Amino acid sequence: MSEPFVPLSFTSLSDREMLERAEAFYRGIKRRRTVRDFSTRPVPRSIIEQCLLAAGTAPNGANLQPWHFVVVSDPEKKRVIRLEAEREERAFYEHRAPDDWLEVLAPLGTDADKPFLETAPYLIAIFAQAYGIKSDGGKRKHYYVSESVGIATGVLITALHQAGLACLTHTPSPMNFLNEILGRPANERPFLLLVVGHPAEGAKVPNIEKKTLDEIATFID
Ligand code: IYR
């Protein structure tokens, strides 16, 4: 039986070093942009594997790690996903989306056409496990599933950016079609479809701003 507790492996840094690292990280992460135009340039699978390992370190409810990542590079599967996603998106843009939603989407220039679902080398379908399956086939309750999978997804996006890749958080809604296409069980619900690759030559992104620190944070001293 392994020890229930082991010493924490932690490196304490000086205040100056911490600030330098925090600034350097912000300089890097603020260059991340959601990309919608992808190149067909291939990406070695080993890079995706490392980023997924990073995602799998995310803090989560009771360490039950309620996520599953399906990495799709097969062109035929990507084509089927595109067809299904575009069907849902057409319904969204043509009649499901309320006007106020379409209004805030307008500056982003999105529409129902999703060619990137075939162009980009990888689609990572992220599934949230509403409950687990025990070895005897019974259900195991999972805790803080959305929070856990959301955090893991954030780590994955950050890892991909750090590795030099671009991604798009795509949320066709509803996206239950992913369970069937990808053969995932009933305890898993699709959380997000991450489109991953290199940006297309000359790709453009919306000219939008992030909120200031004052707008996003309050300090109570
Ligand atoms: N899922 C649609 C619409 C969409 C919704 C939001 I909120 C966005 O930030 C972007 C798009 C689509 O992918 O086009």
Side-chain angles (χ1 to χ4, degrees), residues 14-84:
S14 69
D15 288 356
R16 193 174 57 85
E17 202 170 349
M18 285 191 290
L19 179 59
E20 274 169 16
R21 288 168 65 133
E23 288 170 342
F25 183 77
Y26 174 52
R27 271 198 304 279
I29 199 68
K30 77 178 180 190
R31 299 186 59 221
R32 187 206 60 79
R33 292 300 309 260
T34 290
V35 163
R36 290 186 171 80
D37 280 316
F38 285 86
S39 110
T40 55
R41 178 179 159 189
V43 171
R45 176 169 147 171
S46 51
I47 302 170
I48 304 298
E49 288 173 351
Q50 291 305 307
C51 294
L52 289 169
L53 284 167
T57 68
N60 66 90
N63 197 37
L64 294 172
Q65 305 166 61
W67 43 62
H68 191 79
F69 303 91
V70 181
V71 184
V72 183
S73 55
D74 174 56
E76 182 51 28
K77 279 272 188 264
K78 288 198 290 184
R79 199 177 67 82
V80 177
I81 290 173
R82 176 182 178 182
L83 291 177
E84 289 295 318

Side-chain angles (χ1 to χ4, degrees), residues 36 89 92-93 101 105 108 110-111 114 170-173:
R36 290 186 171 80
E89 292 296 303
F92 173 82
Y93 283 95
W101 195 343
L105 284 183
L108 304 180
T110 59
D111 60 30
K114 307 296 179 192
H170 182 42
T171 50
S173 166

Side-chain angles (χ1 to χ4, degrees), residues 45 48-49 52-53 55 66-74 77-78 81 117 120-129 149 153 156 160 175-185 187-196:
R45 176 169 147 171
I48 304 298
E49 288 173 351
L52 289 169
L53 284 167
W67 43 62
H68 191 79
F69 303 91
V70 181
V71 184
V72 183
S73 55
D74 174 56
K77 279 272 188 264
K78 288 198 290 184
I81 290 173
L117 292 174
Y122 290 105
L123 306 179
I124 305 181
I126 304 170
F127 288 86
Q129 298 175 332
V149 182
T153 300
L156 178 57
L160 291 165
M175 51 180 159
N176 332 26
F177 63 84
L178 287 174
N179 281 68
E180 195 176 320
I181 296 174
L182 302 176
R184 297 313 301 169
N187 64 319
E188 295 185 1
R189 64 174 169 82
F191 181 75
L192 197 129
L193 188 58
L194 209 58
V195 183
V196 180

Side-chain angles (χ1 to χ4, degrees), residues 132-146:
I133 311 287
K134 292 196 280 200
S135 46
D136 66 2
K139 291 184 183 180
R140 163 173 280 126
K141 194 167 166 24
H142 279 172
Y143 306 92
Y144 299 104
V145 173
S146 302

